[in-house]
Amino acid sequence: LAQCDNSCTMTPERSHRMDVSTLGQFVRDQRKRIGLTQVDLADLAGASDRFLRELEKGKPTAEVGKVITVLSTLGYDLEPTIHRGDLL
């Protein structure tokens, strides 16, 4: 995840791949860091508070488009990162 305003890359340690639980924790941490409630962030992102609760809990079926919108609302972009060069 890269913060939009300064291109700072925020990634888990190289030995740990991103998963929905890690992503949910990241969203929760960033929401709390800027002082928003789940309802506040959901309203700003045009999502339901139920969606945000499930995302923060790491629900594996979270809709990707909504996840991207929530991240954007927090000031982050979702960017693919190559973690293994030998996949193909």
Side-chain angles (χ1 to χ4, degrees):
L1 299 171
Q3 193 166 19
C4 297
D5 58 8
N6 66 7
S7 298
C8 172
T9 301
M10 308 260 320
T11 57
E13 294 179 28
R14 287 206 180 270
S15 63
H16 181 73
R17 291 178 62 186
M18 178 65 74
D19 59 22
V20 291
S21 179
T22 303
L23 180 61
Q25 182 65 50
F26 177 81
V27 168
R28 179 179 16 259
D29 292 347
Q30 297 311 305
R31 175 183 58 76
K32 288 183 174 186
R33 180 183 62 80
I34 59 177
L36 293 174
T37 66
Q38 288 178 329
V39 172
D40 292 337
L41 178 55
D43 286 345
L44 289 170
S48 69
D49 55 320
R50 177 180 175 182
F51 172 81
L52 195 60
R53 280 193 311 274
E54 291 174 349
L55 173 60
E56 289 186 358
K57 288 180 181 179
K59 182 179 179 186
T61 57
E63 186 179 325
V64 174
K66 288 182 181 178
V67 171
I68 291 169
T69 300
V70 168
L71 289 171
S72 179
T73 301
L74 289 169
Y76 290 86
D77 289 327
L78 185 60
E79 297 178 6
T81 301
I82 297 173
H83 58 91
R84 284 184 43 196
D86 60 348
L87 292 177
L88 297 177

